C-alpha cells in the first residue's frame, strides 16, 4: 500500500528564511514523487517531480527537493522565503499503470514579514 | 498549456438533490480523476477513468458515480446530495503515454466548492 506523510500541517517562517517542508512516503516499488502548490481558491499547480533521473530536483519559484531512498523522504526546500510563497503544499506519490496519485494531507506555509 | 476546466467554481445545493459536476480537458488525455479535498485530509480519490466508458473506484466512491461518454469530459454525479458531501471537488487529467517532462503529471482544474444545505 502506498502512503504519504507530511509532517506539520502548518509551518510559519519569516520572509528571507529557509523553507523546509517534510514529506515521507511508503512505496513497494520505485515511485514517481511530486510536490504541488495550491493558492487560495485555486487548483493544484505542479512545483516539481522526481522520476529517478537525479536525486536533487529543481522546480519552479526557486523550490527544490531531494529524494533520499534510504530515508524514504522527499523534502521540499527553498533557501529564502518570499511573501508570495504563502500557500498550501502537497506531496504526492504515483505508482501503477493508471498513474494514480496518493497525496499527503498538506502543509500550509505562512510567511511573516 | 494543458487546460482542465470545471464548469462551476461554486455550487449550493439542497439535501437530496441530484448534482452534476462537469470537467473538460483539452489535451486528449486518457486518464481523468475526481478528488475531494477536505481540511487536514488532503486530496482523496473518488473515481478515475482510463478510457471512454471505463471507470474505476477510488478510495471513497460511496455516494458518487461518474460518467465518461467522451474522452475530453468526465462527470461526477451525486445521486442524492447529503450535507457530508459539502467539500471542494477537484478534477485532474493525465496521459501515461506522455514523454519527457509531461510524463505522469496530473493537471488540475480550479475546483468546485460545493455546499449542500
Amino acid at each position: 500500500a502506498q502512503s504519504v506523510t507530511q509532517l506539520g500541517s502548518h509551518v510559519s517562517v519569516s520572509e528571507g528564511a529557509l523553507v523546509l517542508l517534510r514529506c515521507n512516503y511508503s512505496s513497494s516499488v520505485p515511485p514517481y514523487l511530486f510536490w504541488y502548490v495550491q493558492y487560495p481558491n485555486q487548483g493544484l499547480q505542479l512545483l516539481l517531480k522526481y522520476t529517478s533521473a537525479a536525486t536533487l530536483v529543481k522546480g519552479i519559484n526557486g523550490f527544490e527537493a531531494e529524494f533520499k531512498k534510504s530515508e524514504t523522504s522527499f523534502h521540499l526546500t527553498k533557501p529564502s522565503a518570499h511573501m508570495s510563497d504563502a500557500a498550501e503544499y502537497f506531496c504526492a506519490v504515483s505508482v501503477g499503470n493508471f498513474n494514480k496519485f496518493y497525496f499527503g494531507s498538506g502543509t500550509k506555509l505562512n510567511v511573516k514579514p | 498549456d494543458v487546460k482542465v476546466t470545471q464548469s462551476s467554481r461554486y455550487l449550493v445545493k439542497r439535501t437530496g438533490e441530484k448534482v452534476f459536476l462537469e470537467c473538460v480537458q483539452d489535451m486528449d488525455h486518457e486518464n481523468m480523476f475526481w478528488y475531494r479535498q477536505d481540511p487536514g485530509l488532503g486530496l482523496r480519490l473518488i473515481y478515475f477513468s482510463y478510457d471512454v466508458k471505463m471507470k474505476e473506484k477510488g478510495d471513497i466512491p460511496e455516494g458518487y458515480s461518474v460518467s465518461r461518454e467522451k474522452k475530453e469530459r468526465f462527470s461526477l454525479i451525486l445521486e442524492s446530495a447529503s450535507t457530508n458531501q459539502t467539500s471542494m471537488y477537484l478534477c485532474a487529467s493525465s496521459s501515461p503515454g506522455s514523454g519527457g517532462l509531461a510524463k505522469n503529471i496530473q493537471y488540475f482544474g480550479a475546483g468546485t466548492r460545493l455546499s449542500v444545505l
Side-chain angles (χ1 to χ4, degrees):
Chain A
Q2 324 303 330
S3 69
V4 178
T5 303
Q6 291 183 241
L7 282 177
S9 57
H10 291 80
V11 170
S12 187
V13 301
S14 297
E15 192 172 20
L18 171 72
V19 176
L20 171 60
L21 304 183
R22 300 178 186 274
C23 173
N24 288 86
Y25 69 93
S26 68
S27 175
S28 55
V29 297
Y32 289 98
L33 292 160
F34 303 81
W35 276 99
Y36 281 82
V37 60
Q38 185 180 35
Y39 298 101
N41 296 315
Q42 293 187 26
L44 274 67
Q45 177 185 351
L46 181 70
L47 268 180
L48 51 82
K49 72 169 189 175
Y50 166 75
T51 58
S52 77
T55 56
L56 184 63
V57 182
K58 293 189 185 298
I60 63 172
N61 301 338
F63 284 93
E64 61 183 35
E66 186 172 10
F67 172 69
K68 291 187 176 180
K69 185 177 179 180
S70 61
E71 298 177 8
T72 60
S73 68
F74 191 56
H75 302 329
L76 182 71
T77 59
K78 182 173 179 177
S80 177
H82 193 272
M83 297 296 291
S84 61
D85 295 327
E88 190 161 19
Y89 293 80
F90 291 93
C91 182
V93 61
S94 170
V95 292
N97 293 332
F98 298 127
N99 184 215
K100 284 178 66 176
F101 274 30
Y102 297 88
F103 283 89
S105 55
T107 298
K108 281 191 177 174
L109 176 66
N110 178 45
V111 182
K112 300 175 289 186
Chain B
D1 271 0
V2 176
K3 193 157 187 184
V4 179
T5 303
Q6 294 184 230
S7 54
S8 304
R9 293 298 306 274
Y10 301 93
L11 273 179
V12 180
K13 297 292 181 181
R14 298 236 174 249
T15 303
E17 277 193 75
K18 190 169 185 176
V19 181
F20 293 86
L21 303 183
E22 306 287 346
C23 175
V24 176
Q25 50 95 2
D26 66 356
M27 281 300 294
D28 202 35
H29 282 172
E30 292 86 353
N31 298 343
M32 296 188 74
F33 306 82
W34 274 106
Y35 297 89
R36 65 175 282 175
Q37 180 182 10
D38 300 289
L41 297 178
L43 279 73
R44 293 178 292 167
L45 182 64
I46 304 171
Y47 268 96
F48 69 100
S49 168
Y50 54 90
D51 201 350
V52 175
K53 297 190 186 296
M54 306 304 288
K55 60 186 179 184
E56 292 284 341
K57 292 180 180 178
D59 300 315
I60 52 164
E62 296 78 18
Y64 303 94
S65 62
V66 290
S67 171
R68 194 163 180 207
E69 296 296 319
K70 293 185 177 181
K71 191 174 185 180
E72 67 270 20
R73 187 181 297 272
F74 192 35
S75 303
L76 179 70
I77 304 157
L78 286 66
E79 296 288 344
S80 178
S82 64
T83 54
N84 63 12
Q85 293 178 309
T86 291
S87 187
M88 169 75 107
Y89 290 88
L90 291 165
C91 175
S93 72
S94 74
S95 177
S98 293
L101 294 175
K103 188 172 176 62
N104 291 100
I105 294 173
Q106 286 193 14
Y107 297 88
F108 284 82
T112 296
R113 190 167 293 280
L114 173 67
S115 296
V116 183
L117 306 177

